[in-house]
Amino acid sequence: RGRTIYQARCAACHNARQPGTPTRADLRKMPRQQITYAMLTGVMKPMASGMSRADTENVARFLNGGP
């Protein structure tokens, strides 16, 4: 599920090496909690609008090498 959400909502910017945007490789190195926090209350909150907490956790798990 995390992969599907990432591809639909995140990949366009994070896979494109946008200036100031961490790449997927950069995100892989971040703790899951940091990724989840960014989506729930941090800088990514507007982009994650409408995602459930479970969705944000699934994306963070996927980025850290999980399913």
Side-chain angles (χ1 to χ4, degrees), residues 24-38:
R24 184 169 166 201
D26 295 330
L27 294 168
R28 180 179 278 275
K29 298 173 191 171
M30 292 180 184
R32 271 187 211 169
Q33 296 84 356
Q34 184 178 354
I35 296 168
T36 302
Y37 177 84

Side-chain angles (χ1 to χ4, degrees), residues 7-56:
Q7 292 297 337
R9 299 194 59 148
C10 313
C13 293
H14 289 286
N15 288 359
R17 298 185 183 263
Q18 302 270 341
T21 303
T23 65
R24 184 169 166 201
D26 295 330
L27 294 168
R28 180 179 278 275
K29 298 173 191 171
M30 292 180 184
R32 271 187 211 169
Q33 296 84 356
Q34 184 178 354
I35 296 168
T36 302
Y37 177 84
M39 288 188 280
L40 293 175
T41 61
V43 68
M44 295 304 298
K45 184 176 179 178
M47 283 61 91
S49 177
M51 291 173 63
S52 68
R53 178 160 189 115
D55 286 345
T56 63

